[in-house]
Amino acid sequence: MYPHQSMSHYPVLPTPRNPYVIKVTGEGTISAAPDQAVAILGTITENRNLQLAQAENAEAVSRVIQSLTNLGIPQELLKTLRYQIEIQYQYQDGRQIFQGYKVTHMLQVIIGQIEQTGLVVDTAVEHGANTVSSIQFTLRDPEYFYNQALSTAVKDSQQKAATVARTLGVRYNPIPHQVQELTSAPEALSSRAETFLARAATPIQPGEIKIRASVNAEYTFSPC
């Protein structure tokens, strides 16, 4: 609110039908450092015998899970995201030739200590993971930062309405007649890094997460 503005100077116009309305859009952006990571990784095994393909996969995934729990990742932060069995074929001269079975077991790993992300990925690969589909950096409480962005968006709408009012030479009520939230609280997932296979001492840079909010707002005004 500008210093010269006060509620006594700007009477609230009583009805929503009043034509004297300034309509603006307010926007707000907050930058936050991610405080956890979500890695999607797993094991793919292939064999002409389905039982062997499953057994090899189960053994490898068990080693991966054990290695990650040994790092201090709680069991509840490890879960199966996808388990899939596919029949593999090769095509020769228009004929379908059976090659074997492919078993895929993908795990979701939530990493609470973000500085350990590279170590977690490397450890999983060392103990049997042979595919890493994504690493996503997240916020545990995105709502907290979104509310800050939303507050900034409302203030931005006030500043824009004040600019319009000054330009028109009218007096406006800095308390909005109506506010409509255009965005919703973000999901936890944000910045993302992708790779296929991690290497030893994998460098992982989380960067920053941008959280945005926007509103439509209406401010009543009276001609001077």
Side-chain angles (χ1 to χ4, degrees), residues 112-183:
Q113 294 178 289
I114 201 167
E115 68 278 3
Q116 288 190 339
T117 302
L119 174 62
V120 168
V121 172
D122 291 338
T123 299
V125 170
E126 181 182 350
H127 290 83
N130 56 13
T131 180
V132 181
S133 65
S134 71
I135 300 170
Q136 295 177 306
F137 301 103
T138 77
L139 295 168
R140 290 187 180 89
D141 186 12
E143 186 86 22
Y144 170 80
F145 296 98
Y146 174 75
N147 287 337
Q148 292 185 40
L150 186 60
S151 176
T152 300
V154 173
K155 293 175 183 176
D156 183 53
S157 76
Q158 288 178 314
Q159 292 173 359
K160 288 178 178 178
T163 298
V164 172
R166 285 199 307 270
T167 302
L168 295 176
V170 299
R171 292 189 287 184
Y172 89 113
N173 182 355
I175 304 300
H177 165 67
Q178 180 176 311
V179 178
Q180 179 187 9
E181 183 182 13
L182 300 179
T183 50

Side-chain angles (χ1 to χ4, degrees), residues 9-219:
H9 293 167
Y10 305 102
V12 176
L13 300 182
T15 71
R17 295 188 181 89
N18 195 300
Y20 300 125
V21 174
I22 298 171
K23 297 182 180 182
V24 293
T25 298
E27 298 179 343
T29 301
I30 296 293
S31 297
D35 53 15
Q36 67 179 15
V38 179
I40 308 300
L41 52 84
T43 299
I44 298 173
T45 54
E46 297 181 7
N47 199 297
R48 291 185 64 86
N49 182 288
L50 176 58
Q51 285 72 31
L52 288 178
Q54 289 179 296
E56 292 167 2
N57 193 285
E59 181 182 353
V61 170
S62 294
R63 291 198 309 269
V64 170
I65 292 173
Q66 186 61 53
S67 70
L68 295 181
T69 55
N70 288 344
L71 281 181
I73 297 179
Q75 283 279 355
E76 60 267 24
L77 300 185
L78 300 169
K79 74 173 184 179
T80 294
L81 199 64
R82 179 167 63 94
Y83 185 85
Q84 185 175 7
I85 297 174
E86 301 171 86
I87 301 176
Q88 301 288 90
Y89 294 103
Q90 185 178 34
Y91 292 88
Q92 292 181 354
D93 301 325
R95 292 184 303 147
Q96 192 179 61
I97 302 174
F98 173 76
Q99 294 294 301
Y101 294 93
K102 176 181 176 182
V103 179
T104 303
H105 191 158
M106 300 300 293
L107 298 171
Q108 175 182 281
V109 184
I110 298 177
I111 306 165
Q113 294 178 289
I114 201 167
E115 68 278 3
Q116 288 190 339
T117 302
L119 174 62
V120 168
V121 172
D122 291 338
T123 299
V125 170
E126 181 182 350
H127 290 83
N130 56 13
T131 180
V132 181
S133 65
S134 71
I135 300 170
Q136 295 177 306
F137 301 103
T138 77
L139 295 168
R140 290 187 180 89
D141 186 12
E143 186 86 22
Y144 170 80
F145 296 98
Y146 174 75
N147 287 337
Q148 292 185 40
L150 186 60
S151 176
T152 300
V154 173
K155 293 175 183 176
D156 183 53
S157 76
Q158 288 178 314
Q159 292 173 359
K160 288 178 178 178
T163 298
V164 172
R166 285 199 307 270
T167 302
L168 295 176
V170 299
R171 292 189 287 184
Y172 89 113
N173 182 355
I175 304 300
H177 165 67
Q178 180 176 311
V179 178
Q180 179 187 9
E181 183 182 13
L182 300 179
T183 50
S184 58
E187 296 179 0
L189 300 181
S190 190
S191 58
R192 174 172 175 163
E194 291 193 6
T195 183
F196 175 72
L197 184 63
R199 300 179 183 275
T202 302
I204 302 294
Q205 300 297 326
E208 283 193 332
I209 294 174
K210 300 287 187 182
I211 300 174
R212 295 177 174 85
S214 58
V215 297
N216 278 341
E218 296 183 5
Y219 294 83

